[in-house]
Amino acid sequence: MQYPDSVRRRSGLHVLAVALLILAMSGCQKIELERAEGTKLNWDTLRGQWVLVNYWAEWCKPCLEEIPELNELDKAPDITVLAVNFDGVRGDALVELGERMGIEFTMLADDPGPGFGWKLPVALPATFLVNPGGDLVETRFGPQTEEELRAVIGG
């Protein structure tokens, strides 16, 4: 059965409109991370700066060693440090643990890695470096110093 040209054109325009709508909506998906205390952090607000996602645990002595370095880096206007507890501690227990360990930077309630396609680190501490464009550029293992991390990110 043959359809008139006007029906074929309308059908084609309809398919094109649906495809454009899907494409537009896929770019609108916003990633929200939950902080340890329960408030949300919109990942898009971190664009334009370096983001260091640091995996740590209470039992990890090298993790303790690098906390002061990460605290200092987090004070820079172009760097945000996010903490992820390797053992899955959550809620008030996580907030209290972070305070006891001297963590002054933002602690996340959950690991954001799976949402970005990152694999769980095999050693601690682990620091994932995300550039201002939002791309993972490097993963570093072991305690990091402010100087070492600034050498990687430039500045």
Side-chain angles (χ1 to χ4, degrees):
M1 177 172 183
Q2 288 268 340
Y3 290 102
D5 285 342
S6 63
V7 171
R8 279 195 299 240
R9 266 191 301 259
R10 223 175 323 141
S11 177
L13 288 174
H14 184 79
V15 169
L16 179 61
V18 169
L20 288 173
L21 180 63
I22 290 171
L23 185 62
M25 288 176 64
S26 68
C28 293
Q29 183 180 19
K30 104 178 149 171
I31 298 171
E32 284 193 331
L33 307 174
E34 185 179 345
R35 293 180 179 99
E37 69 280 354
T39 60
K40 300 290 184 187
L41 171 65
N42 183 335
W43 179 256
D44 288 340
T45 63
L46 302 176
R47 291 286 175 146
Q49 59 185 298
W50 283 90
V51 179
L52 311 180
V53 181
N54 179 259
Y55 290 79
W56 62 279
E58 178 180 20
W59 45 264
C60 170
K61 186 176 180 198
C63 296
L64 287 170
E65 294 171 7
E66 74 176 356
I67 289 171
E69 305 281 337
L70 296 173
N71 285 338
E72 285 305 309
L73 279 165
D74 190 59
K75 293 175 184 174
D78 59 339
I79 301 171
T80 294
V81 181
L82 302 174
V84 178
N85 180 264
F86 187 79
D87 295 327
V89 178
R90 293 185 50 95
D92 290 340
L94 177 58
V95 172
E96 291 168 14
L97 179 58
E99 287 172 0
R100 259 194 344 264
M101 293 184 67
I103 296 174
E104 298 170 2
F105 43 95
T106 301
M107 292 187 299
L108 299 177
D110 296 305
D111 180 4
F116 296 122
W118 303 344
K119 293 185 179 178
L120 189 65
V122 295
L124 292 180
T127 304
F128 289 57
L129 285 79
V130 179
N131 70 16
D135 300 312
L136 177 65
V137 294
E138 188 172 334
T139 303
R140 300 179 65 93
F141 295 97
Q144 303 300 309
T145 66
E146 180 180 2
E147 183 180 335
E148 291 167 335
L149 291 168
R150 284 193 181 278
V152 173
I153 63 179

